[in-house]
Amino acid sequence: MTIFLCFAFLAALLAHIGCSNQRRGTEASGRRYNRIQHGQCTYTFILPEQEANCRESTTHQYNTNALQRDAPHMEQDFSTQKLQRLEHVMENYTQWLQKLENYIVENMKSEMAQIQQNAVQNHTATMLEIGTSLLSQTAEQTRKLTDVETQVLNQTSRLEIQLLENSLSTYKLEKQLLQQTHEILKIHEKNSLLEHKILEMEERHKEELDTLKEEKENLQGLVSRQSYIIQELEKQLSKATNNNSVLQKQQLELMDTVHSLVSLCTKEGVLLKNAKREEDKPFRDCADVYQAGFNKSGVYTIYINNVSEPKKVFCNMEVTGGGWTVIQHREDGSLDFQKGWREYKMGFGSPFGEHWLGNEYIFAITSQRQYSLRVELMDWEGNRAYSQYDRFHIGNEKQNYRLYLKGHTGTAGKQSSLILHGADFSTKDADNDNCMCKCAIMLTGGWWFDACGPSNLNGMFYAAGQNHGKLNGIKWHYFKGPSYSLRSTTMMIRPLDI
């Protein structure tokens, strides 16, 4: 590039040596200069000065701007002088061009060095920028990797914590399972003990039944023997009618014997003559028994209409005129009242103690004529109360032995604890109540629950001291509240016309 500039400058000088745009002038100091205009650039050259003692051509053939002032004045023709002058000018220009070239080369060296330095700086800056960008990206990737690593560690920690919790839960479940297994074993042991006790009780009951059967057979044999003796005595009495004195004596002896036999036969409160009368006239209920002259409370046999077999019932002949047929009785908790529909239908227990007469027999009795109901209650403090209803009867099995009542009076609360508008009978295996729950299971026993209701005389029997706060006990709400379990209860019916 430098050589190119030199040649361009030289060509410009040669082209403009004799051109019209060549300007020459003289400064105020006397120096002469030559100015060349090339495009937008202007080049000014200082011409050599002539000494004052130099000779000038009188003919003015030499140019005053001669480059060589020291040249001797020679008498030559004009072309030779001109040529020499041109050679001198060329030499001067050559020198100036060399100086200019050196100057340009020096300047170009510094510029090239500056350009190289700038290029190196730019390259370095670019490399630094790229490096910075790479570092930034690396830092960003590192941060992302750190975040991912943190998330992985957190997730791992969570999984470890969850695994630990699962292990603890598993340990707790295993512990609970062991406890439940232990409880089940205890329950099995208790069941075994209960089964053993039940077997023992069954054996005792069986023995008692056998004893009672033997006693019954003995009594029947005694009655047969007594009847035979009476017949023999009557025969002897008829034979002794001929002899008055002997007859009177024998009659006195016979009367004594009869009285002794009668007293022996009436230990159970039933006379032979009355037995004959009972066989002659069947009783529909205890009211008929009472009207027949039997005014002592006890167990009697009645013949219910539309029932093929006779039924033994307990007759209460002492309360308010007597003639009451007992249909339910609780007194000591010796009988389990947690029975099903079949048991409550046909009845269970003994009329001598705790029992339920049976819904089928209650329906049959109350279908004979109109009956009233009396409920006798006693708490653990010895207080007695009663509730009496003027009308009482129940429906048949298809009607779920529905209860019908009217006219409540008594001392066991101003309000009736039985549902007056009627309720179906429910047991643990026959839910006929008006509650979403199963009242017979929740409150136990069989009863006219409606929506569980304020009474249940067939609930659990609780002994003294344990009878408070028992919602499933023997309760009569308007007598002792909803959570007081009573000591004894008796339900009995009697015709309205007594």
Side-chain angles (χ1 to χ4, degrees), residues 18-19 31 78-79 89 101 105 109 169-170 179 182 192-193 198 209 262 265 322 359 367 380 415 419 463 498:
C19 292
R31 291 186 178 182
F78 176 77
S79 60
V89 170
E101 183 178 0
V105 168
K109 285 181 180 179
S169 300
T170 304
Q179 291 177 353
H182 186 62
S192 300
L193 292 174
I198 289 171
L209 288 174
V262 169
C265 293
N359 290 331
S367 299
W380 287 95
Q415 187 173 348
I419 306 300
I498 296 300

Side-chain angles (χ1 to χ4, degrees), residues 44 128 133 167 252 265 278 330 352 395 401 429 434 452 456 495:
T44 303
L128 289 173
S133 176
S167 300
L252 291 173
C265 293
E278 184 176 354
R330 306 289 298 275
F352 292 97
Y401 300 115
D429 56 350
N434 293 323
C452 291
N456 178 19

Side-chain angles (χ1 to χ4, degrees), residues 264-303:
L264 180 64
C265 293
T266 56
K267 287 183 179 180
E268 297 297 327
V270 180
L271 297 175
L272 295 176
K273 294 182 180 179
N274 292 336
K276 292 181 180 179
R277 290 179 59 188
E278 184 176 354
E279 291 177 357
D280 295 338
K281 182 181 179 181
F283 304 124
R284 294 172 295 175
D285 51 29
C286 291
D288 288 349
V289 176
Y290 184 79
Q291 290 177 348
F294 299 93
N295 55 5
K296 185 177 181 180
S297 297
V299 177
Y300 295 89
T301 302
I302 62 173
Y303 296 83

Side-chain angles (χ1 to χ4, degrees), residues 460-472:
M460 295 288 293
F461 184 91
Y462 290 100
Q466 301 178 354
N467 60 306
H468 293 278
K470 308 297 183 183
L471 295 176
N472 62 343

Side-chain angles (χ1 to χ4, degrees), residues 24 59 63 125 137 210 252 257 265 297 319 397 423 456 494:
R24 295 180 181 177
T59 59
N63 193 343
Q137 293 178 1
D210 293 338
L252 291 173
T257 304
C265 293
S297 297
V319 176
E397 186 175 12
N456 178 19
R494 186 176 68 178

Side-chain angles (χ1 to χ4, degrees), residues 258-478:
V258 170
H259 284 300
S260 61
L261 290 175
V262 169
S263 61
L264 180 64
C265 293
T266 56
K267 287 183 179 180
E268 297 297 327
V270 180
L271 297 175
L272 295 176
K273 294 182 180 179
N274 292 336
K276 292 181 180 179
R277 290 179 59 188
E278 184 176 354
E279 291 177 357
D280 295 338
K281 182 181 179 181
F283 304 124
R284 294 172 295 175
D285 51 29
C286 291
D288 288 349
V289 176
Y290 184 79
Q291 290 177 348
F294 299 93
N295 55 5
K296 185 177 181 180
S297 297
V299 177
Y300 295 89
T301 302
I302 62 173
Y303 296 83
I304 307 170
N305 291 343
N306 300 322
V307 176
S308 58
E309 296 180 357
K311 183 69 175 175
K312 289 188 177 295
V313 296
F314 188 90
C315 297
N316 190 318
M317 305 300 187
E318 299 171 359
V319 176
T320 61
W324 294 96
T325 304
V326 177
I327 62 175
Q328 186 263 12
H329 183 61
R330 306 289 298 275
E331 62 181 5
D332 54 12
S334 59
L335 181 63
D336 182 16
F337 274 67
Q338 313 310 308
K339 307 291 185 180
W341 183 265
R342 176 67 181 174
E343 287 83 0
Y344 273 97
K345 173 183 177 181
M346 302 309 298
F348 52 88
S350 170
F352 292 97
E354 293 193 336
H355 72 285
W356 177 262
L357 182 62
N359 290 331
E360 194 66 26
Y361 296 107
I362 298 172
F363 163 71
I365 293 173
T366 57
S367 299
Q368 298 177 138
R369 42 185 171 173
Q370 292 185 347
Y371 283 82
S372 60
L373 170 68
R374 185 180 178 90
V375 181
E376 293 279 339
L377 309 169
M378 186 175 71
D379 62 16
W380 287 95
E381 290 74 30
N383 301 313
R384 295 181 179 273
Y386 75 92
S387 289
Q388 188 161 332
Y389 301 87
D390 297 336
R391 298 286 190 277
F392 166 79
H393 73 279
I394 63 173
N396 57 24
E397 186 175 12
K398 292 182 179 180
Q399 297 171 335
N400 296 322
Y401 300 115
R402 187 173 182 80
L403 176 67
Y404 297 94
L405 294 170
K406 285 184 180 179
H408 170 259
T409 57
T411 60
K414 296 181 180 180
Q415 187 173 348
S416 172
S417 292
L418 277 174
I419 306 300
L420 292 175
H421 60 76
D424 293 347
F425 197 85
S426 295
T427 59
K428 62 182 181 181
D429 56 350
D431 183 24
N432 298 315
D433 54 46
N434 293 323
C435 181
M436 295 297 294
C437 61
K438 293 185 177 181
C439 300
I441 295 177
M442 185 173 66
L443 301 179
T444 69
W447 193 250
W448 296 281
F449 287 110
D450 191 45
C452 291
S455 64
N456 178 19
L457 299 186
N458 293 332
M460 295 288 293
F461 184 91
Y462 290 100
Q466 301 178 354
N467 60 306
H468 293 278
K470 308 297 183 183
L471 295 176
N472 62 343
I474 304 172
K475 70 175 182 177
W476 196 263
H477 177 81
Y478 295 105

Side-chain angles (χ1 to χ4, degrees), residues 178-238:
L178 290 174
Q179 291 177 353
Q180 290 178 358
T181 305
H182 186 62
E183 293 294 332
I184 290 171
L185 291 174
K186 288 183 178 179
I187 291 171
H188 282 311
E189 292 177 357
K190 290 181 180 179
N191 289 335
S192 300
L193 292 174
L194 290 174
E195 289 177 357
H196 183 67
K197 290 181 180 179
I198 289 171
L199 290 174
E200 290 180 352
M201 291 176 64
E202 288 179 352
E203 290 178 358
R204 287 199 300 269
H205 284 104
K206 186 176 181 182
E207 292 176 357
E208 292 176 356
L209 288 174
D210 293 338
T211 303
L212 291 174
K213 287 181 180 178
E214 290 178 1
E215 291 179 354
K216 183 179 179 181
E217 291 176 356
N218 292 331
L219 289 174
Q220 288 178 350
L222 180 61
V223 170
S224 299
R225 288 194 298 272
Q226 289 173 351
S227 300
Y228 177 75
I229 291 171
I230 291 172
Q231 292 176 0
E232 291 295 326
L233 290 173
E234 289 178 350
K235 289 180 181 178
Q236 291 177 8
L237 182 62
S238 62

